[in-house]
Amino acid sequence: MSKQKVALESLVSRQFAGKLLLRNEIQLEDKQFEQFLADGVLRPSPSIVKQLISAICQRCGNRKKYLFGRLPCKQCNQNHLYCRKCIEMGRVMECEPLYYWNGKEVVWPIIDQPCTWEGELTALQQRASDRIVSAITNKEKELLVWAVCGAGKTEMLFPGIAEALRSGMRVCLATPRADVVQELLPRIRNAFKNVNIQGLYGGSEEKTGNAQLIISTTHQLLRFKAAFHFLIIDEVDAFPFHNDPSLPYAAKRSLHSTQSTTIYLTATPRRNQQLRLWMKQLPHVFVPSRFHGHPLPVPILKTCTSLKKDIQYNRVPYSLLNWMRKRISPHRQLLIFVPTIELVEQLYKNSLVQLPQQKLLTSKDRIMCVHASDPERKEKVQLFRDKKIDILITTTILERGVTFPSVDVAIIDASHRVFDEAALVQIAGRAGRSPDDPKGEVVFFHNGKTNSMVHAIDAIKSMNKRGGFI
Amino acid sequence: MYCLWCHEEIITEVHWGNLIHLYRPKRLCMNCESQLIKIQGDLCSICSRVSSVKKCADCLKWEDYEESPIKFNASLYTYNSFMQEVVAKWKYRGDYQLAKIFQYEFEKEYSKKFSFLTKKKPVVVPIPLSKQRMTERGFNQAEVLADFIPLQKDHVLERLHGEKQAKKTRYERISTENPFILRKSINKTVILVDDIYTTGTTLRHAARLFKGNGCPNVYTYTLIRG
């Protein structure tokens, strides 16, 4: 009997180790669950801690009063607090504890030859990846990897991940968006064929999250506690990690111990990170040039004083048409960024009429528009990738994480506030990503220069300078 | 104030209207509020669906089958994609506070549509949840809505089994057996309250019970016409 129990426990320990879960996320029969509680292998911990005037959600770290609600609980006949911030991941209520695993610690297997990737890194990539490996072996706490757009960040991580798996560590690669998880998963599976890998995102098929190597969205980290020895956070400067304090909170909690290593990946560090770099509080490694060894395209500013009027009177901005006529290589595809969804649709309608008239478009089905709430978003992006479309009008959703080999990029109304410095650098980084066509034009159409635009161009120029160009 | 939906801060413009009167707090920001669409135009006289004829095709189909146990249904909003998101978060995720979005309008619409009943002293009955679903969610959305109406409420219905209607096809819904039992008969006019009227099967099941047990008239009042 007791032997059976031990066997069951070790099976279950993998499932629950490193998690922080609600009762309804624990797939156990009531009887079994009670038994585990009585044995002390599963422990409850309060889900919402009340302080003098505020409350803190223990899952997402929310302290804001307006993000807590009250609900008359039928079971306790009391008005209870619940967290409205992380409710998309299941409701955390004051009267229901969160559970964590307190049983035997899981020993993750030591994998001798985890990496089956056979590609080669460039000298710069190699330098960065060596630095990552040394951060793991020296048990450094943090390391920022600052690599320009298109430096080949994913490949640089492989030696580090391999090193961690060789030492029996649990590894997580967290990225801001589900699309990116879906894109990364096959690539990583291909590079680590002998390793159990799971992808976690809202609506993913695998939900257990008991693998040694996990690729997840940053939101999924809310369900982990003391889990990972090696955590990689992709695009730290991006929405939502940058704007949502609960995600850094969750990331910190998901670390296994103080000896765990966190790697931040970014192409455009934010002010606070730059400050920490400058004060030498945050160790970093810089990858100044793209994997194909060409500099980043520097954006050109084009003033377009009639921009607001053109939009108002349903015209394609005049300067855009003018530029399109004079493009250096008109065979490149064109990616047009606009600030709002309404403008996406409006510009699309206008372009359908005006571009064929101006002979800038061969047929009407070679232009499309896409935005976040577009149900056919994935298909349209794929069509663009397959070169079935010449022009794609988009919001900032395509600002990062996507690669099209040969495109020119235009931003309409670059002075809009959604285009901050990081966004502009990222958007400019969409051009010239392929070794066959390493150049690309990037044009900001604006009706008034903003600081973000100036800073973005300065940042790109200085990165090129550090890469030894100019 | 913060918008209950997008959590953006709401900055209300101060004008004489809200300076002099005690104004009711805004629950949604302008942008979110504009996405809630009320049902307008010509409606079916029975189910409140947008329809150019007096009785819509669905209600005529029902009539082949039985005389409608519902006098008429009144609804407030259309079931657009924004509303679907709100309802999903409210009901299925269990964000209780979101009900406040509808409080004022739900009450106002009630007095508009049902004021003619005031003399008859109607009883408001919310559609119940099954016990299992109730423990899952912690609250009954129909009850919350019913509480917005300043009238006597009577929880006389009980739900035996409650699979989610939302996952069924039209035929499956119509041909299900009655999931409710009536604990006490009421011989006054009854107003059934629920969150959404889709095919009307649930509400018709409940209404049939009341009619069969000596209730003169049954009306239904729902937040959304799906």
Side-chain angles (χ1 to χ4, degrees):
Chain A
M1 179 65 199
S2 75
K3 226 179 201 175
Q4 224 176 11
K5 208 167 143 187
V6 170
L8 178 72
E9 227 187 273
S10 73
L11 196 76
V12 174
S13 69
R14 252 190 186 218
Q15 173 69 52
F16 297 118
K19 297 277 183 62
L20 190 64
L21 297 173
L22 290 166
R23 173 64 187 100
N24 59 14
E25 290 168 330
I26 299 174
Q27 317 300 4
L28 287 177
E29 300 272 315
D30 274 341
K31 208 177 132 201
Q32 185 66 62
F33 179 73
E34 297 293 333
Q35 185 60 45
F36 277 140
L37 270 187
D39 293 347
V41 287
L42 270 178
R43 282 266 173 89
S45 78
S47 55
I48 293 178
V49 173
K50 273 189 181 166
Q51 287 184 329
L52 200 57
I53 42 167
S54 61
I56 308 168
C57 169
Q58 293 301 300
R59 185 167 67 178
C60 69
N62 168 31
R63 288 163 184 262
K64 287 188 179 130
K65 211 170 178 183
Y66 66 89
L67 289 177
F68 283 105
R70 276 187 186 279
L71 186 155
C73 180
K74 290 279 165 183
Q75 271 145 1
C76 334
N77 281 324
Q78 257 181 333
N79 242 354
H80 276 321
L81 280 181
Y82 71 93
C83 179
R84 299 190 58 225
K85 175 134 194 216
C86 55
I87 200 164
E88 286 294 334
M89 311 197 60
R91 187 173 58 198
V92 171
M93 286 239 281
E94 204 181 344
C95 61
E96 290 170 11
L98 291 160
Y99 296 93
Y100 64 93
W101 182 252
N102 191 44
K104 234 175 37 195
E105 181 119 354
V106 185
V107 180
W108 296 98
I110 291 171
I111 303 164
D112 285 332
Q113 285 291 329
C115 191
T116 45
W117 184 66
E118 280 164 355
E120 234 174 87
L121 296 173
T122 64
L124 280 170
Q125 284 177 320
Q126 190 64 49
R127 194 173 66 98
S129 87
D130 288 347
R131 182 69 188 82
I132 295 173
V133 171
S134 76
I136 297 169
T137 46
N138 299 336
K139 298 196 165 35
E140 284 177 54
K141 256 181 98 170
E142 294 176 302
L143 175 69
L144 180 88
V145 178
W146 179 0
V148 297
C149 306
K153 280 188 286 255
T154 316
E155 285 77 16
M156 270 168 1
L157 293 171
F158 291 164
I161 296 175
E163 173 61 32
L165 294 172
R166 255 199 299 278
S167 354
M169 291 181 174
R170 196 177 190 193
V171 183
C172 176
L173 170 55
T175 129
R177 287 201 312 254
D179 311 0
V180 185
V181 176
Q182 286 165 327
E183 201 187 297
L184 278 177
L185 201 58
R187 274 168 75 188
I188 305 246
R189 281 214 170 112
N190 219 3
F192 294 91
K193 281 182 182 142
N194 313 324
V195 185
N196 181 13
I197 304 172
Q198 279 173 346
L200 296 180
Y201 48 92
S204 60
E205 280 166 30
E206 302 159 317
K207 289 198 191 294
T208 48
N210 54 3
Q212 186 170 7
L213 175 53
I214 285 179
I215 320 291
S216 83
T217 53
T218 29
H219 271 108
Q220 296 294 324
L221 292 178
L222 287 175
R223 294 208 174 104
F224 286 92
K225 181 187 181 178
F228 304 112
H229 304 88
F230 180 40
L231 174 65
I232 304 156
I233 300 173
D234 192 15
E235 314 264 25
V236 263
D237 61 298
F239 173 86
F241 196 85
H242 170 64
N243 309 56
D244 188 347
S246 60
L247 297 177
Y249 171 89
K252 207 172 158 197
R253 186 185 57 207
S254 74
L255 294 177
H256 182 264
S257 64
T258 47
Q259 299 203 321
S260 307
T261 308
T262 311
I263 303 262
Y264 305 108
L265 296 180
T266 177
T268 44
R270 295 274 170 176
R271 275 287 131 81
N272 56 347
Q273 289 150 353
Q274 295 224 6
L275 199 68
R276 286 183 68 204
L277 288 186
W278 186 70
M279 288 165 68
K280 300 215 157 58
Q281 283 178 351
L282 181 65
H284 83 290
V285 56
F286 184 61
V287 185
S289 94
R290 299 185 144 184
F291 73 96
H292 54 54
H294 290 267
L296 298 162
V298 179
I300 302 162
L301 296 180
K302 277 207 188 327
T303 336
C304 179
T305 42
S306 62
L307 192 71
K308 288 270 143 71
K309 245 187 193 162
D310 285 335
I311 293 167
Q312 199 184 338
Y313 293 117
N314 291 335
R315 290 190 297 236
V316 178
Y318 175 72
S319 344
L320 177 68
L321 290 175
N322 229 353
W323 170 71
M324 282 175 73
R325 262 181 236 124
K326 288 190 235 155
R327 277 204 294 162
I328 296 162
S329 30
H331 59 270
R332 277 190 205 134
Q333 287 172 289
L334 181 59
L335 205 52
I336 302 178
F337 285 87
V338 291
T340 60
I341 295 180
E342 296 93 72
L343 203 52
V344 167
E345 273 155 9
Q346 203 190 334
L347 185 67
Y348 173 66
K349 268 184 225 146
N350 302 340
S351 308
L352 269 186
V353 184
Q354 289 182 31
L355 293 188
Q357 284 172 4
Q358 306 268 352
K359 300 207 166 73
L360 290 167
L361 193 68
T362 46
S363 78
K364 281 192 177 182
D365 54 0
R366 310 251 334 153
I367 181 169
M368 273 187 192
C369 68
V370 66
H371 51 79
S373 43
D374 188 341
E376 292 166 37
R377 167 180 165 180
K378 243 175 145 180
E379 291 80 8
K380 285 180 178 172
V381 173
Q382 194 53 46
L383 280 177
F384 191 68
R385 208 166 265 157
D386 299 341
K387 304 206 168 173
K388 298 262 165 62
I389 324 174
D390 293 328
I391 302 174
L392 187 64
I393 303 171
T394 170
T395 56
T396 49
I397 53 158
L398 293 185
E399 128 192 343
R400 48 179 90 217
V402 286
T403 302
F404 307 110
S406 169
V407 289
D408 281 336
V409 179
I411 303 183
I412 308 295
D413 197 5
S415 8
H416 195 279
R417 68 188 171 95
V418 302
F419 297 118
D420 56 11
E421 183 191 331
L424 291 172
V425 173
Q426 288 284 357
I427 289 172
R430 295 311 103 200
R433 293 181 71 110
S434 137
D436 303 324
D437 184 16
K439 293 197 177 105
E441 285 182 78
V442 181
V443 188
F444 296 171
F445 293 96
H446 65 94
N447 58 354
K449 224 191 305 189
T450 59
N451 282 340
S452 316
M453 284 150 67
V454 178
H455 289 316
I457 292 174
D458 286 349
I460 291 172
K461 279 184 179 160
S462 83
M463 283 192 274
N464 277 344
K465 210 169 166 186
R466 284 180 77 173
F469 305 102
I470 300 169
Chain B
M1 285 307 289
Y2 292 87
C3 174
L4 268 178
W5 183 250
C6 66
H7 309 316
E8 288 287 320
E9 194 169 359
I10 305 171
I11 298 157
T12 27
E13 208 181 325
V14 179
H15 51 79
W16 289 111
N18 60 24
L19 200 66
I20 294 170
H21 297 287
L22 283 175
Y23 71 103
R24 74 198 149 85
K26 272 183 99 63
R27 302 299 189 186
L28 288 183
C29 66
M30 293 275 271
N31 189 19
C32 293
E33 201 172 83
S34 69
Q35 294 184 65
L36 286 178
I37 311 289
K38 282 198 184 161
I39 296 178
Q40 273 165 345
D42 293 335
L43 305 178
C44 167
S45 60
I46 292 180
C47 70
S48 278
R49 163 199 272 196
V50 178
S51 145
S52 51
V53 284
K54 223 174 166 203
K55 271 185 193 170
C56 72
D58 272 357
C59 291
L60 284 175
K61 233 188 251 170
W62 275 109
E63 261 174 25
D64 293 342
Y65 177 68
E66 59 167 359
E67 193 203 342
S68 173
I70 300 171
K71 221 34 196 219
F72 70 76
N73 167 63
S75 298
L76 191 49
Y77 294 108
T78 55
Y79 203 35
N80 60 0
S81 60
F82 179 73
M83 191 51 120
Q84 281 172 26
E85 277 177 54
V86 174
V87 167
K89 199 167 178 188
W90 178 40
K91 256 167 81 173
Y92 302 129
R93 297 280 175 211
D95 197 350
Y96 182 78
Q97 295 287 318
L98 287 178
K100 283 188 183 166
I101 296 173
F102 312 117
Q103 181 167 10
Y104 178 76
E105 294 292 333
F106 197 73
E107 193 188 326
K108 202 171 104 185
E109 185 77 3
Y110 172 80
S111 40
K112 215 164 103 191
K113 290 272 168 69
F114 293 99
S115 54
F116 71 94
L117 284 173
T118 322
K119 273 188 188 157
K120 291 183 183 165
K121 298 215 168 110
V123 179
V124 173
V125 180
I127 296 291
L129 290 179
S130 67
K131 265 209 181 107
Q132 186 205 348
R133 192 115 300 138
M134 189 70 187
T135 41
E136 256 172 46
R137 281 184 204 165
F139 66 91
N140 176 0
Q141 70 280 357
E143 231 169 84
V144 178
L145 288 173
D147 284 340
F148 293 154
I149 302 169
L151 267 185
Q152 185 204 340
K153 262 111 339 197
D154 221 338
H155 305 277
V156 289
L157 279 178
E158 198 175 318
R159 198 182 200 125
L160 291 178
H161 51 86
E163 294 151 278
K164 273 184 202 160
Q165 289 280 343
K167 299 247 165 99
K168 291 183 192 161
T169 62
R170 187 185 165 81
Y171 178 76
E172 279 172 335
R173 287 186 192 203
I174 291 170
S175 56
T176 45
E177 59 176 313
N178 201 328
F180 300 108
I181 45 170
L182 193 61
R183 268 185 288 169
K184 195 183 88 187
S185 56
I186 295 179
N187 50 13
K188 280 194 258 181
T189 301
V190 164
I191 300 174
L192 289 169
V193 172
D194 202 359
D195 54 344
I196 179 161
Y197 182 112
T198 311
T199 58
T201 313
T202 315
L203 288 161
R204 274 162 198 266
H205 274 317
R208 222 172 282 138
L209 269 180
F210 280 104
K211 285 287 253 192
N213 286 286
C215 173
N217 282 319
V218 182
Y219 298 86
T220 65
Y221 184 33
T222 51
L223 181 69
I224 304 158
R225 178 66 177 89

